[in-house]
Amino acid sequence: AQKITQTQPGMFVQEKEAVTLDCTYDTSDQSYGLFWYKQPSSGEMIFLIYQGSYDEQNATEGRYSLNFQKARKSANLVISASQLGDSAMYFCAMSPRGGPNTGNQFYFGTGTSLTVIP
Amino acid sequence: NAGVTQTPKFQVLKTGQSMTLQCAQDMNHEYMSWYRQDPGMGLRLIHYSVGAGITDQGEVPNGYNVSRSTTEDFPLRLLSAAPSQTSVYFCASSYNYLSLGNQPQHFGDGTRLSIL
């Protein structure tokens, strides 16, 4: 069974500081993808960053980076230089190796609410 | 470039009523899925489809029905609405894993549904 755990229901960070949002996962698959999404108060789901299980380098996208530790099964999101617009819910998701019947299934964590303080 | 379009954005139903949530995508994605989002529970998969004519159940399928007659459309039907189905519903689409490996899912803006 696939499981994603986000242990931080809420986080606060000072504007311009860096913050790390934790995500651990449990899977027996060797090939899988890890994703982070942002959900602002307006409700839409915004894709932020992707890490493949066989990628040797940690993924980066602008101010977002993914701290991938495969042996520990963790995929933490790091946001550098926080901005007020970063205040939102953040979801970690995992997609195991898909097949003809399962396609591209995602398993989501319960999310972390980030508040950026001016 | 519309992406994933969900209608309606808001809906209030009475217990026992039926309705269909519409979802359409214009990206030629094979994979489409429906999630419900409840406070403290993240997104849970209701049903998914790997292509036209093929659907399967996710984690929480009871009380919902889907069909996929075209690549573009993936409607979700509530057969007899219950208060426990009050939630925010998201439709998402992506290429299949077999096409391009792991791909991000593209989400619609959601439908906020209340059952009285």
Side-chain angles (χ1 to χ4, degrees):
Chain A
Q2 325 287 351
K3 186 176 180 182
I4 310 297
T5 302
Q6 295 180 254
T7 58
Q8 307 154 313
M11 290 280 288
F12 292 86
V13 64
Q14 204 75 35
E15 192 178 8
K16 300 181 184 177
E17 298 291 312
V19 63
T20 297
L21 307 184
D22 294 341
C23 173
T24 58
Y25 58 92
D26 186 15
T27 181
S28 57
D29 291 333
Q30 296 300 309
S31 178
Y32 49 88
L34 296 158
F35 302 81
W36 278 91
Y37 283 81
K38 172 184 179 181
Q39 186 179 43
S41 58
S42 50
E44 70 269 30
M45 294 287 287
I46 302 167
F47 164 66
L48 295 178
I49 195 167
Y50 160 77
Q51 177 86 41
S53 60
Y54 289 112
D55 294 340
E56 294 185 352
Q57 301 247 354
N58 285 343
T60 60
E61 288 287 347
R63 295 186 298 110
Y64 303 109
S65 60
L66 201 153
N67 184 359
F68 179 47
Q69 298 186 46
K70 192 171 183 177
R72 297 181 59 185
K73 293 187 175 180
S74 74
N76 298 340
L77 177 71
V78 180
I79 305 175
S80 62
S82 296
Q83 302 172 356
L84 295 178
D86 294 334
S87 293
M89 281 289 289
Y90 289 81
F91 291 96
C92 178
M94 184 190 68
S95 178
R97 179 185 176 89
N101 298 321
T102 57
N104 192 31
Q105 283 199 32
F106 272 42
Y107 298 87
F108 283 87
T110 53
T112 295
S113 177
L114 177 66
T115 302
V116 180
I117 303 167
Chain B
N1 189 4
V4 180
T5 303
Q6 285 185 240
T7 55
K9 294 192 185 305
F10 303 94
Q11 185 71 48
V12 179
L13 291 178
K14 294 181 179 179
T15 297
Q17 287 184 316
S18 63
M19 81 159 294
T20 299
L21 306 186
Q22 300 292 344
C23 176
Q25 53 92 9
D26 62 358
M27 296 171 282
N28 204 30
H29 285 163
E30 304 103 328
Y31 184 83
M32 295 187 74
S33 53
W34 277 100
Y35 296 89
R36 60 176 291 172
Q37 183 180 19
D38 302 295
M41 302 191 74
L43 280 79
R44 293 182 293 168
L45 183 64
I46 303 171
H47 284 286
Y48 66 95
S49 168
V50 298
I54 306 169
T55 64
D56 207 344
Q57 298 179 352
E59 180 185 357
V60 288
N62 292 341
Y64 308 95
N65 208 351
V66 292
S67 60
R68 184 100 179 266
S69 56
T70 66
T71 299
E72 295 78 18
D73 300 301
F74 191 44
L76 177 73
R77 296 181 186 84
L78 278 70
L79 308 173
S80 177
S84 60
Q85 294 177 303
T86 294
S87 188
V88 180
Y89 291 84
F90 285 97
C91 178
S93 74
S94 71
Y95 291 108
N96 263 341
Y97 180 92
L98 292 179
S99 301
L100 292 173
N102 292 111
Q103 292 290 308
Q105 293 198 6
H106 300 258
F107 284 81
D109 289 340
T111 295
R112 191 171 296 271
L113 183 63
S114 294
I115 316 294
L116 304 178

